[in-house]
Amino acid sequence: MLRSLMAGARALIRPSERNAEIDEELRSFWAASVEDKVQRGLSRENAEREARAEIGSREMVRHNVWSAGWESAFDSFVRELRVAARQLRKSPGFAATAILTLAFGIGATTAIFSIVEGVLLCPLPFADPGRLVVLGDTVPGVSMGSNGHIGVTMPQILAYERETRGFAALGGFEQAAYEFSDAGAPTEIRAARVTASIFPLLGVAPLMGRTFTQQEDDRSQQVTVIGYAMWHSRFHADPQILGRKIELNRKTYEIIGVMPRGFEFPLIPGPMDQSRLWVPLSPTPDEMKEAAAWCCGMVGRLKPGVAPAQAQQDAGRVAEQITRNFPAYMSSQRIGAMVRPLAEDTVAQARPLLRILFLAVAVVLFLACANLAGLLLVRVIRRRREIAVRRALGASGATVLRQSLVETFALSLAGGLIGLGLAALVVRVGIGFLPETLPRVESIRLDWHVVLFAMGTALLTGLLCGLAPALAAARTGVNQTLKDGGLTGSASGVQARLRSALVIAEIAVALVLLIASGLLLRSFEKLRSMDPGFRTDHLLTANYNLPEKQYSTQAAIDTFNSTLLRRLEPLPGIEAVGITSYLPASGMVRSSTFVADGYVPPKGTEMEIAWPSQVMGDYFHAAGIPLLRGRVFTDVDNVNAPLVCIVNHMLAEHFWPGQDPIGKRLRWGYPNTPTPWITVVGVMGDIKQMAVDAPTQYEIYQPSSQVMASYGKLVPPGLLNAQAGSIVLRTALLPDSMIESLRATVLSIDPQLPLTKVHSMDEALSRTEAPHWFNAALISSFAAAAVLLALMGIYSVIAFSAAMRTREMAIRMALGSQRADIVRLVLTSGAKLAVTGVLIGLAGAAAASSLIRGFLFEVSPFDPRVLALAAIAVLGLALLASALPARRAAAVDPMGALRGE
């Protein structure tokens, strides 16, 4: 086998040597044959003649010898490829159109597949990722979001680690932000507090140094492991980084390790929120007392042979034990446990978007294939005489079929290579435009899986597009075609119906995409016009986080906050200043249970959940939230005054319908929780707490100075409040013009304190709307491409049909038909295809409505305006595409056409 391969390769590389060997063997055989015949009595002249007759043609012998090896098939393929290249060079317009059409379709499909492969298909960058799971609590009555759980509390991390039996290892973590001080100005850096078991559990070793130990975690030692990106960007890949001291929240930490490139944990969407370093979790005594603060996450590695369902039963047993050990005031609280694969938990939110994007780009590829198939059919019909001549000269149907397929494969491979280059460019440039909700962006690249997909798609496209035209070419009737000579006429009915069916399918799927684009754009328009409940104009916001070392007492925190408000208020251009714990429409999730006085919950209601907000200064005026009833907070509402709160309109209407909510009472916790009553003094308008497209929730505002007292004995002694907040400035000037004044004011109080997320509220809202805009823009671009390809298809079919019917048109005009009648005839042909495609497309849009419903905001998938406009647009464009061929057909000179025939 190997010898045959080597011999064939040598023959292909040096064909002259093979031919010389054959000639030498022929000469030896001829000489031996001549001598044999002479010995039998023939004259030398007759012996030489008979020997030549026995051997036959030298070229035929060479052909037979070459045909015996595998190199013959390869050589044949190369020759046919050269013939295909010559044929395509003769038709540069056709070749360029076909290659660019395929390049666009394959390039777009490959680019989207690279995202799908990086986010969904590529294994997580951990050891044996299939056994990694997340563990979280489920709480009746609380929205679990797309992940199906709300995380765990700090005390539960130890409980699950100690009591579960189905896990080989478990670890806990909490996302955090630290003030980072080095040689430059202080900045805030994203980090994660993790247990010492996290790194061994994930099975990822550090690139340099080590990770921290359980002893370091238990003793709260100030050590840190930094990420590869931080090592390069902040420390210039210093090889002596181990042992270096850095300041985190103004405490000295020692760098003990550097993680390898690509390591990311926790796996959260958005590159801005990825952790740059990791420190020991080391929960404080106060954190271990917070039984109702679900702020942490857990990840575990299943034992061999244990399925996620079995692990969930095991964790559910521990959750029941945790529930029984809840404090008395939480006796009515019930929790469950949820275990799901880490990979599934990571991509749960992104999966529907990627699915619909891949379907959309697959539609574009289908349209490109349909156009190419139509072009190839037209090319076969135009080359009927050439093919008939080749068949008459001895070419078999299989030879013609093979030659046609080789030509198509040449086109598809060229389109695939160009498409791969386009995909590489799109991925490199477009990765920065991906929405923040997409996880694992760092894994998106053109690896060998993507390259194989592109080449496989190109080959499959060539086969599917070229098979029908190749079969049509192989079945060309020799006698009839040569008998017709140069006369034009209609092509075979089968071919005509196939071309029409392709165009109808193109119009139908293009209409489905166009409707999806219209629905998403209308949804985005609704989103932009939605009233968030507060004024976004002339509003500047910024976040800060006070480091514990410098602000270790409540007095120090209060002094900073009051000083900040006092210094900002008199600045020129400032109309109002406030501080809040959570900005509106910020995307953050926060909820607390509460009890409303005098309200009897319906049977089966587990608990009531509200969004708690603590405010300082003139927050409501600064944010532009309207006061509907009562009053806002004043300086009188301090720590020594009676507890007061302000509720939103939604809460007041639900719990005290038809009553005056002013003077009503509520309190935090559960019905049997010993917390003090809080008196309602005002009702504010409803705002969007999480995002503009998220449902409004109950909201309870409190003065920051009274928050700790409102939780009564639930608050551990010494727990601090308001050490982090969001500044809200209502300005008379443009918000961006006040940024430097805001920074300077903060630095005048604390020269080391960094501000983060400093931008206008309009900019903040646009970031929350970015995923919706991304969906609409990408689907719209695919829809535009689909419509363009469909128009190219209908134009080519109508133009070719009109050209093939030139003789018929000339006869009609010679018999008295007007040019307007010819135009009407051609336009009618195009209109029939368009109407059929539109009807099928409307049915297809109805069938696909469930796929897009989840991406719409206050828009029905059957919105009559969108359906009607899309259908009219496709019909109008189809008639426009048919108009040029119609005018050309009407401009035919009857006498000239008939004379030419």
Side-chain angles (χ1 to χ4, degrees):
M1 179 70 177
L2 182 61
R3 183 179 301 174
S4 174
L5 289 174
M6 295 297 293
R10 188 169 59 253
L12 289 173
I13 296 172
R14 298 175 180 175
S16 58
E17 291 185 6
R18 166 67 68 86
N19 288 333
E21 290 175 0
I22 296 173
D23 291 344
E24 180 61 29
E25 289 183 10
L26 285 177
R27 281 194 294 271
S28 298
F29 177 81
W30 177 79
S33 179
V34 168
E35 292 301 325
D36 180 64
K37 294 182 186 303
V38 168
Q39 291 177 5
R40 286 189 298 177
L42 289 179
S43 67
R44 180 164 294 275
E45 182 179 355
N46 291 335
E48 290 178 354
R49 184 165 49 252
E50 287 190 11
R52 288 194 190 96
E54 288 178 357
I55 292 174
S57 168
R58 184 177 63 176
E59 293 300 324
M60 184 60 70
V61 172
R62 281 183 180 180
H63 174 74
N64 292 336
V65 172
W66 276 89
S67 299
W70 65 269
E71 63 273 14
S72 172
F74 182 81
D75 187 60
S76 251
F77 174 75
V78 171
R79 286 200 306 272
E80 289 175 349
L81 200 58
R82 290 172 182 167
V83 172
R86 286 198 299 270
Q87 292 288 349
L88 294 175
R89 279 199 300 270
K90 292 179 182 178
S91 306
F94 163 78
T97 302
I99 290 173
L100 291 179
T101 300
L102 278 180
F104 174 76
I106 294 174
T109 307
T110 302
I112 295 299
F113 177 77
S114 69
I115 300 176
V116 173
E117 198 262 346
V119 176
L120 296 183
L121 305 180
C122 184
L124 297 179
F126 308 128
D128 194 7
R131 290 171 52 206
L132 292 176
V133 295
V134 294
L135 190 157
D137 288 346
T138 58
V139 181
V142 178
S143 174
M144 300 295 108
S146 60
N147 290 334
H149 62 89
I150 60 171
V152 297
T153 65
M154 198 70 77
Q156 289 176 356
I157 293 178
L158 296 180
Y160 281 121
E161 285 182 336
R162 185 175 57 249
E163 301 297 334
T164 52
R165 301 289 180 266
F167 300 91
L170 273 173
F173 62 90
E174 181 188 27
Q175 298 175 45
Y178 286 90
E179 177 191 298
F180 170 70
S181 302
D182 197 50
T187 58
E188 185 177 88
I189 191 166
R190 303 299 300 180
R193 299 170 60 193
V194 300
T195 58
S197 59
I198 283 290
F199 296 107
L201 181 155
L202 297 175
V204 181
L207 179 68
M208 298 173 57
R210 63 179 179 85
T211 58
F212 38 84
T213 65
Q214 186 63 50
Q215 187 178 35
E216 289 171 327
D217 190 4
D218 295 339
R219 295 183 178 179
S220 303
Q221 294 191 5
Q222 293 172 186
V223 293
T224 181
V225 177
I226 64 173
Y228 187 89
M230 183 176 180
W231 179 46
H232 268 257
S233 61
R234 297 283 184 175
F235 303 106
H236 310 290
D238 181 7
Q240 307 300 321
I241 190 66
L242 300 181
R244 182 167 175 173
K245 304 295 194 296
I246 60 173
E247 296 290 319
L248 298 177
N249 281 356
R250 305 184 193 180
K251 295 180 181 179
T252 302
Y253 281 74
E254 179 185 353
I255 298 176
I256 62 172
V258 178
M259 296 307 292
R261 182 199 293 269
F263 177 79
E264 178 187 342
F265 185 83
L267 298 172
I268 56 177
M272 299 301 294
D273 293 328
Q274 292 176 4
S275 298
R276 306 299 176 187
L277 58 85
W278 298 265
V279 299
L281 183 65
S282 302
T284 64
D286 288 340
E287 288 176 328
M288 293 303 294
K289 296 177 183 177
E290 296 179 353
W294 282 271
C295 59
C296 302
M298 290 196 75
V299 62
R301 181 174 293 278
L302 297 176
K303 288 182 177 179
V306 176
Q310 295 172 298
Q312 179 160 326
Q313 291 179 352
D314 182 32
R317 173 185 55 81
V318 177
E320 292 178 359
Q321 295 177 9
I322 294 173
T323 302
R324 288 194 293 268
N325 294 329
F326 274 154
Y329 66 84
M330 291 180 62
S331 60
S332 61
Q333 176 69 70
R334 294 291 179 270
I335 66 170
M338 193 219 65
V339 174
R340 68 191 301 190
L342 177 60
E344 181 182 340
D345 187 77
T346 302
V347 302
Q349 188 177 357
R351 190 184 298 276
L353 170 62
L354 294 181
R355 184 185 298 121
I356 197 169
L357 288 182
F358 195 72
L359 286 175
V361 79
V363 166
V364 174
L365 179 61
F366 165 76
L367 292 172
C369 292
N371 264 1
L372 178 60
L375 289 173
L376 291 172
L377 280 171
V378 169
R379 182 171 171 80
V380 166
I381 294 172
R382 291 190 181 279
R383 295 175 60 193
R384 283 180 304 170
R385 181 173 177 79
E386 173 199 336
I387 295 171
V389 170
R390 291 175 60 193
R391 292 290 305 277
L393 292 176
S396 65
T399 302
V400 174
L401 176 67
R402 187 171 60 251
Q403 180 61 53
S404 297
L405 285 177
V406 167
E407 187 174 306
T408 306
F409 280 129
L411 291 171
S412 62
L413 285 175
L417 290 174
I418 297 175
L420 190 59
L422 292 175
L425 179 64
V426 168
V427 170
R428 180 180 292 273
V429 175
I431 199 166
F433 296 94
L434 294 175
E436 289 289 319
T437 54
L438 201 64
R440 305 191 64 197
V441 175
E442 298 295 331
S443 300
I444 299 174
R445 57 185 179 274
L446 258 67
D447 55 16
W448 65 273
H449 295 98
V450 179
V451 173
L452 284 179
F453 172 82
M455 292 297 98
T457 302
L459 292 175
L460 182 62
T461 297
L463 178 63
L464 295 178
C465 294
L467 190 57
L471 288 173
R475 294 173 180 173
T476 299
V478 178
N479 295 333
Q480 186 62 41
T481 302
L482 294 177
K483 187 187 302 180
D484 289 341
L487 297 178
T488 61
S490 61
S492 73
V494 174
Q495 294 176 8
R497 285 193 295 272
L498 180 57
R499 294 197 310 275
S500 298
L502 288 173
V503 170
I504 290 172
E506 289 183 57
I507 294 174
V509 296
L511 179 62
V512 172
L513 267 189
L514 189 61
I515 290 173
S517 169
L519 292 172
L520 289 172
L521 288 173
R522 184 157 169 74
S523 178
F524 185 71
E525 178 190 4
K526 287 267 191 180
L527 187 68
R528 293 296 301 271
S529 63
M530 181 63 126
D531 181 12
F534 58 93
R535 288 177 53 199
T536 63
D537 61 299
H538 292 272
L539 194 59
L540 180 65
T541 66
N543 295 347
Y544 67 90
N545 195 342
L546 301 177
E548 184 181 355
K549 182 177 180 180
Q550 185 75 16
Y551 300 90
S552 58
T553 64
Q554 191 63 52
I557 296 171
D558 294 341
T559 299
F560 174 87
N561 289 329
S562 60
T563 304
L564 178 61
L565 290 171
R566 188 173 65 252
R567 293 190 184 183
L568 286 173
E569 286 171 354
L571 290 180
I574 299 295
E575 295 182 354
V577 182
I579 298 176
T580 180
S581 52
Y582 299 100
L583 280 175
S586 61
M588 300 189 66
V589 180
R590 180 70 174 173
S591 59
S592 291
T593 58
F594 74 100
V595 177
D597 190 20
Y599 176 76
V600 179
K603 192 173 182 180
T605 302
E606 295 286 344
M607 65 183 75
E608 300 296 345
I609 304 292
W611 185 284
S613 294
Q614 51 177 300
V615 300
M616 290 175 273
D618 195 5
Y619 168 72
F620 296 110
H621 180 199
I625 303 174
L627 176 67
L628 304 182
R629 304 187 71 166
R631 65 175 179 87
V632 296
F633 301 130
T634 64
D635 293 338
V636 178
D637 301 314
N638 54 40
V639 67
N640 298 316
L643 300 179
V644 295
C645 70
I646 295 174
V647 299
N648 66 346
H649 178 261
M650 178 181 177
L651 188 150
E653 284 295 311
H654 179 79
F655 291 94
W656 303 294
Q659 304 176 51
D660 185 359
I662 306 302
K664 298 294 185 181
R665 302 186 306 169
L666 52 80
R667 58 185 177 85
W668 296 115
Y670 305 90
N672 55 347
T673 304
T675 50
W677 289 103
I678 310 170
T679 303
V680 177
V681 296
V683 177
M684 306 303 295
D686 295 331
I687 67 170
K688 295 293 186 178
Q689 295 99 340
M690 288 188 58
V692 177
D693 60 335
T696 302
Q697 301 182 18
Y698 304 136
E699 187 158 13
I700 300 173
Y701 302 92
Q702 290 182 269
S704 180
S705 58
Q706 294 187 353
V707 169
M708 305 304 284
S710 68
Y711 284 92
K713 296 181 179 180
L714 299 182
V715 178
L719 188 64
L720 303 179
N721 181 51
Q723 61 269 54
S726 298
I727 306 168
V728 180
L729 295 180
R730 171 69 54 186
T731 70
L733 307 174
L734 292 176
D736 289 347
S737 66
M738 300 299 300
I739 291 178
E740 291 306 318
S741 298
L742 173 60
R743 290 189 187 275
T745 303
V746 172
L747 293 177
S748 69
I749 305 172
D750 187 336
Q752 289 185 276
L753 185 67
L755 289 178
T756 60
K757 298 184 179 179
V758 184
H759 43 60
S760 67
M761 181 55 75
D762 286 327
E763 183 181 349
L765 278 183
S766 68
R767 291 182 179 181
T768 65
E769 295 167 352
H772 297 275
W773 171 243
F774 175 82
N775 298 345
L778 200 58
I779 296 297
S780 297
S781 63
F782 288 154
V787 171
L788 179 61
L789 290 171
L791 293 179
M792 289 174 58
I794 195 169
Y795 168 80
S796 63
V797 165
I798 297 301
F800 180 72
S801 176
M804 295 295 292
R805 298 170 65 187
T806 300
R807 187 182 183 211
E808 174 193 342
M809 302 298 181
I811 294 174
R812 285 177 179 271
M813 295 176 68
L815 293 177
S817 291
Q818 301 298 315
R819 297 189 185 275
D821 298 328
I822 302 300
V823 170
R824 191 179 305 110
L825 179 66
V826 177
L827 287 179
T828 300
S829 300
K832 288 179 180 178
L833 297 177
V835 169
T836 305
V838 165
L839 292 177
I840 297 175
L842 290 174
S849 61
S850 59
L851 294 176
I852 199 172
R853 190 185 300 273
F855 297 93
L856 302 180
F857 176 70
E858 294 190 352
V859 173
S860 168
F862 304 101
D863 188 299
R865 184 186 305 179
V866 172
L867 295 178
L869 287 177
I872 292 172
V874 169
L875 285 173
L877 291 172
L879 289 177
L880 188 63
S882 305
L884 185 58
R887 290 184 59 186
R888 286 180 179 172
V892 169
D893 177 20
M895 297 305 296
L898 293 175
R899 188 181 301 114
E901 294 288 355

